[in-house]
Amino acid sequence: MASGVATARTMGNRFSRLSIRRESQAYALLFLVPTALLFVGLVGYPVLYSLLLTVSGRGAAPGQLGAFVGLANWARIASDPIFSQAVVQTLMYVIPAAVLGVLVGLGVALVLNERFPGRRIVRAALLIPWALPPVVVAAMFQWFLDSRRGLLGQWLVNAGLVDQSPIFLGGVPGTLYMLTAIHIWKTMPLLALMFLVALQYLPNETIQAARIDGASRWRRFRYVVLPFLRPTIVAAIIIQVLITVQLFDLIFALTGGGPGRYSTYNVYFYTFKTTFEQTDFGYGAVLAYIVTGFVVVLALLLTRGRARSILS
Amino acid sequence: MAEVRLDRVVKRYPGLAADAVQETSLTFEDGLFTCILGPSGSGKSTILKLLAGIEEVTSGRILMDGADITNVTPERRDVAMVFQSYALYPNMNARDNIAFPLMLRGLGRQERYRHVEEVAEMLGIRGLLDRQPRALSGGERQRVALGRAIVRSPKVFLLDEPISNLDANLRATTREELKRIHQRLGATFIYVTHDQDDAEAMSDRVVLMARGSVQQYDTPTAIYRRPANRFVASFVGRLPMSFVRGEIREEEGRLRFDSGPVWVDLAGRRGLPAGPVVVGVRPEGVTISSSRGAPMVGKVTLTEVVAPDLYATVSVGDVSLRARVPGEHVVGVGDEVGVTFVRSLLHFFDATSGERIVVEDEPATVRSWDVAV
Ligand SMILES: Nc1ncnc2c1ncn2[C@@H]1O[C@H](COP(=O)(O)OP(=O)(O)O)[C@@H](O)[C@H]1O
Ligand SMILES: [Mg+2]
């Protein structure tokens, strides 16, 4: 150690007179500077700027700050029927996506956790929907659900369930449910993967012990597996809510918010429309703040409250 | 109470060249404490899993009290198992862990917990019942796992190295306790271990395994005194047995074992065929004395203390023999000593197969501590 310090000195290292601890702290700060600058520039500035947008009227050009209008933009929320509709519809996406997505994901994980021939291939295939780019998913389902040439309609007709292919993307609120279903199809693999990973941490012997103790398959699930997965289920629900609140691409690509004027809007999509199509940046920023606030609260819940129990 | 029988049982895991358990027929006697002893990977746990039903036999049958239970699921076999990992239910406290089998049998909460208290009393863990498994030490988890087995009062207890993860002191006390529990319950205990001390301390019978096959099934003393082959001979015993390869010859009507510098007069021992043979001898079968006038002389190359005894390794020519040094002797490395054998403690093994050569006048029982040194 002494020789190490001496060498550092002879090399003229300017941290050499600091203690090791201080020295490493100094280095840590040094390495943090670029990231910190990037963070301030790419996150801090927009956050501040959009906060200013919420209290300004229309500017000279879209996105520029206008006259100070106080909380007028914020007040609009209360009397905006489209916003209320978007909130309700956000819930119509989120609740089934969270409940069904997590249930199906859990079921798939339990099946894939069993030993059967070809399990590896099925496990790999499971991830395909999650890995597909959203645009591809949208295009795929556009074809699949097409009312004249879509595969799904033809299957139903061929199976004798209907005389004529139904219109899948046309009804209210049927279209929203269709989007939710596609969204669940796309996100379920992620949830199933979370459960699969968690299940790897439940020792096989624990399940075997339960069998020997006399527990049927259902009771092994009910009393051993399910309690073990509880923290993961909570995390999965939060993550699914987070993802679904931010559902945008499917709506954009498949319905553009319709049928009708707003029947598949969620708050996120409404934010986009308001900001970039109506170029109402002030009100758009308010909406963006609402979505972001919700997401941040959820993310905090996830990292603060649950992370420890998930990791332990 | 139950007798458990393996009838020509074979277990092969897919993708494994050798059978984990080669064809084995074995009876675990009713109410006895049987240790399955053997090195790691010898198939001990596999046998236990077959008995529990969590692995299926490749062929053969498993019988409990004569009834074929080969195809009975683990849920419906009346056996309890304690795993080496303890396999406690991570989300239940100790009380509910122990109560779980009773809950599955439909006992009410009050009654369940009453049984749990009794068992906890017996194991000295009443104060721990509210703890979660992760808040318990290894020894405490082991007790909870044991409690979970005891509370069921099963016919058969299967224990897979339940004390291997404990420290030496705790292991010793737990052995006594297990022995007491066995006596109290009178159930059939089948106990897997790689530690011969477990077998010695607790068992009525020992099944000694190697590479998936039973090498010897006997009482612990017989395993020690009449090892069935060289593997058993070298596996059992605190210090390794010394082996000397040589030849049995008949000279002037007297049998004699010869291996260059080492020889033994075998006069009076019958049933030994002339020809190549391996002689095995434990330290207590080698006596050392003053070199003066001794017919066989060697040099001490190593001394070891295994309290309370002192052991010396003596080279006689190119043969190494480990000897227990009588209490009053003091030897040091480099000393010249006389070496003699306790003839009744010599073991003879076939030079090629390693199987024991049974000597006709072999004493039925010789306790190792009977031998004067
Ligand atoms: N589930 C399994 N799949 C494949 N091979 C196994 C499995 N369990 C055990 N084996 C193999 O069977 C042999 C015996 O294992 P085991 O009974 O666990 O040995 P022991 O308990 O004596 O250490 C070993 O070679 C082991 O690798
Ligand atoms: Mg084992």
Side-chain angles (χ1 to χ4, degrees), chain B residues 223-250:
Chain B
I223 293 255
Y224 186 83
R225 276 170 223 146
R226 293 191 299 278
N229 56 40
R230 280 188 61 178
F231 176 83
V232 177
S234 49
F235 189 80
V236 175
R238 191 132 304 131
L239 287 170
M241 188 181 266
S242 311
F243 292 103
V244 187
R245 191 171 280 276
E247 206 168 330
I248 291 179
R249 291 207 195 93
E250 201 175 331

Side-chain angles (χ1 to χ4, degrees), chain B residues 74-103:
Chain B
E75 296 90 313
R76 319 213 17 220
R77 292 187 189 187
D78 192 10
V79 302
M81 182 152 169
V82 177
F83 290 85
Q84 182 174 4
S85 65
Y86 311 135
L88 297 180
Y89 308 123
N91 301 89
M92 295 179 202
N93 63 19
R95 178 179 284 105
D96 286 321
N97 259 281
I98 300 176
F100 189 63
L102 300 181
M103 190 204 73

